[in-house]
Amino acid sequence: MSDQLFSWYSTDAPGQRFNADAKDRSTLVTYFAARHQQHERLALNSLDVTFTSDRAGGFVFRLTRSADDGLPPTRYGGKGEVQCAIRPISLAVWSMARRPWSLLELLPEALALVVLVAAIGTILLWRRRSAQRRVHVVT
């Protein structure tokens, strides 16, 4: 990362970086080493480019973040910017925060659950009626 083009790297706890800390590039290597010690993992789920120019590119992302210091796999959303005007190309902005589930995202899972419950209910009802028919035929 270039000192001249770096703006910030921010996230919530654990490993919180806000305000002046987020903008202090000189502490990033130490910060990343500490997060590595906690086995922090960022698993990218989606990435969308929001703008590009000959100087920079912006993006938004969704990821799953986890670490040994009290962070189970958790959904995060964020944004960033890459500076392309200098070589090597460098990350100038990274900002991420927890992202709660939205109802629209849960809709497919909820629908699948409803279909599964309906299928199980249908099977149980069919088996019960089949057993009742057998009892009536025998008597």
Side-chain angles (χ1 to χ4, degrees), residues 5-119:
L5 300 176
F6 176 77
S7 293
W8 74 86
Y9 182 98
S10 66
T11 188
D12 59 3
Q16 175 177 313
R17 282 181 65 90
F18 289 130
N19 302 321
D21 289 339
K23 295 176 181 179
D24 186 355
R25 182 183 181 272
S26 70
T27 63
L28 270 178
V29 172
T30 303
Y31 170 81
F32 290 142
R35 300 310 305 148
H36 180 72
Q37 288 295 317
Q38 294 299 323
H39 301 109
E40 181 166 314
R41 297 287 182 258
L42 305 178
L44 186 63
N45 299 322
S46 70
L47 177 70
D48 295 310
V49 175
T50 56
F51 75 90
T52 60
S53 73
D54 60 337
R55 303 192 59 76
F59 56 91
V60 295
F61 58 86
R62 293 186 180 158
L63 56 82
T64 301
R65 182 182 181 215
S66 62
D68 290 348
D69 55 353
L71 185 65
T74 304
R75 294 164 45 95
Y76 271 69
K79 66 179 181 177
E81 183 177 305
V82 177
Q83 292 294 324
C84 308
I86 60 165
R87 296 289 184 255
I89 294 172
S90 62
L91 184 66
V93 173
W94 181 275
S95 183
M96 62 181 173
R98 291 169 208 253
R99 188 173 158 268
W101 291 95
S102 79
L103 291 177
L104 283 177
E105 288 176 310
L106 293 176
L107 193 57
E109 287 83 0
L111 183 58
L113 184 60
V114 167
V115 169
L116 178 63
V117 168

